Amino acid sequence: MQENISQQRRRLIGSAAVALAASQFGIMGLARAQAKPASPFGALKQIDAGLLNVGYADVGPADGKPVILLHGWPYDIHAFSEVAPILAAAGYRVIIPHLRGHGTTRFLSNATFRNAQQSVVALDIIALMDALKIPQAVIGAFDWGARTACIIAALWPERVKGLVSVSGYLVTNIDTRAVPLPPKAEHDWWYQYYLATDRGAAGYAKNTRDFAKYIWETASPKWKFDAATLDRSAASFANPDHVAIVLHNYRWRQGAAAGEAQYDALEKRLAAAPVITVPTITMEGDANGAPFPPPASYRQKFTGKYEHRNLSGGIGHNLPQEAPQAFAQAILDVAAM
């Protein structure tokens, strides 16, 4: 049975949240639940943090130096299933939260807008650190998680001991969202345009697992994952807020959906592309099929101790799960910088 710090608040989430997500985007239905293999993390923990009751894995000694690992989309905490034991064996306490809209993470209030703009997701992690009384941590991440980690390192550097970011500096500039890209680049972001339509919203809600499978195959063309691995992560997409969060994230990034006014000041700071001063290692796989910036384009954004690592051997977008030893080593190395 899962350890739960606030069962009463979690009971607030149910059919009303499902209806809210559907009404916000004009869709009905959620990702179908998948058969879920046993988690290598054992029982997850739950804690109230900010707007959420966060589900998270907590691996390693309780008094170990903290490492926070952040997943992306369409992935979940199991992207770090092989990374976490390596770090725990080295004496680190490894915290791996389900981001909002994933796994066992739930909103504390049905009335909260299902917002997924970049600053809000970063604030979720700051709130989690506060709730767990973690003043500072090494943060390692990819995809959505890497954007979140970069934002925390840029805006709250005192909270970050070191940063490992797959694909480098991923902060979104709200002032340039509407600027068209060259045709090939626009094509690479096809799913953002699809999810901006009613047809895409309905299609994603109906075919969530298959959507994830296709993204995994195209973003990591040489990764030979099996059905059980996909099913384990796809179970996290049965979260009642998952569809709403994914749709808002990509619609907001295109300027097709508004954020919330209370976060405008943070977004303006991020639009200025603030530098990251904390020790950082950026990473890229040689077979990443997802869009990513060339390392030279973001080198100047990291002004502290810095290293970039290119991985060979057919490593794709989900670098922590495809190359767990290399990712874990980067965490250990940046902690020692």
Side-chain angles (χ1 to χ4, degrees):
M1 181 176 295
Q2 289 186 332
E3 182 178 334
N4 195 322
I5 296 177
S6 181
Q7 285 284 0
Q8 184 176 9
R9 286 187 172 184
R10 292 187 67 205
R11 292 191 190 103
L12 292 172
I13 307 303
S15 59
V18 176
L20 176 62
S23 64
Q24 284 174 338
F25 297 100
I27 60 173
M28 292 302 295
L30 295 165
R32 63 187 180 89
Q34 302 295 319
K36 182 181 179 182
S39 171
F41 301 123
L44 300 187
K45 296 183 178 181
Q46 302 288 145
I47 191 169
D48 287 356
L51 299 173
L52 304 172
N53 179 264
V54 179
Y56 65 101
D58 192 343
V59 182
D63 60 350
K65 293 181 179 179
V67 171
I68 297 174
L69 303 177
L70 303 176
H71 67 82
W73 170 90
Y75 308 94
D76 77 334
I77 63 174
H78 294 102
F80 302 103
S81 60
E82 294 181 61
V83 172
I86 298 172
L87 299 177
Y92 287 88
R93 180 189 181 190
V94 186
I95 305 296
I96 316 170
H98 278 296
L99 299 185
R100 56 171 59 195
H102 295 75
T104 60
T105 292
R106 298 291 188 271
F107 284 86
L108 294 174
S109 171
N110 291 335
T112 302
F113 177 61
R114 271 41 178 177
N115 184 350
Q117 68 185 97
Q118 61 180 355
S119 58
V120 171
V121 183
L123 286 170
D124 288 344
I125 305 307
I126 293 294
L128 176 63
M129 293 176 71
D130 290 344
L132 293 174
K133 296 180 173 56
I134 296 174
Q136 188 181 61
V138 173
I139 304 182
F142 74 108
D143 197 81
W144 285 22
R147 177 171 290 103
T148 301
C150 284
I151 291 169
I152 296 171
L155 299 186
W156 300 282
E158 71 280 2
R159 307 303 298 268
V160 184
K161 165 72 173 172
L163 171 67
V164 174
S165 176
V166 176
S167 296
Y169 189 89
L170 297 177
V171 176
T172 298
N173 183 343
I174 58 172
D175 294 335
T176 61
R177 288 179 300 180
V179 177
L181 301 172
K184 183 184 183 304
E186 296 283 20
H187 177 268
D188 289 342
W189 295 110
W190 67 271
Y191 54 90
Q192 294 197 27
Y193 300 110
Y194 177 70
L195 294 172
T197 68
D198 289 343
R199 180 187 179 95
Y204 185 68
K206 180 180 179 181
N207 302 300
T208 310
R209 179 188 182 277
D210 289 342
F211 204 101
K213 181 175 184 289
Y214 183 69
I215 294 294
W216 285 23
E217 290 171 342
T218 55
S220 299
K222 297 187 178 182
W223 180 31
K224 304 303 179 185
F225 59 88
D226 58 21
T229 299
L230 175 63
D231 287 345
R232 185 176 61 187
S233 289
S236 296
F237 310 149
N239 182 297
D241 300 303
H242 179 75
V243 173
I245 289 298
V246 171
L247 294 179
H248 187 263
N249 180 284
Y250 287 113
R251 291 177 176 190
W252 177 85
R253 279 203 239 172
Q254 291 186 61
E260 294 180 275
Q262 62 262 43
Y263 308 115
D264 286 351
L266 289 176
E267 296 298 346
K268 287 180 180 178
R269 291 176 64 188
L270 294 171
V275 298
I276 291 174
T277 59
V278 305
T280 299
I281 294 175
T282 57
M283 307 183 77
E284 197 61 75
D286 63 340
N288 187 356
F292 65 92
S297 70
Y298 54 72
R299 172 62 187 91
Q300 72 279 9
K301 304 312 297 182
F302 299 96
T303 60
K305 295 179 181 178
Y306 176 79
E307 181 183 341
H308 177 75
R309 297 180 180 180
N310 289 310
L311 300 189
S312 59
I315 305 304
H317 187 64
N318 185 3
L319 191 151
Q321 199 161 2
E322 298 175 63
Q325 184 64 56
F327 189 86
Q329 188 61 53
I331 294 288
L332 296 174
D333 291 344
V334 83
M337 276 185 173

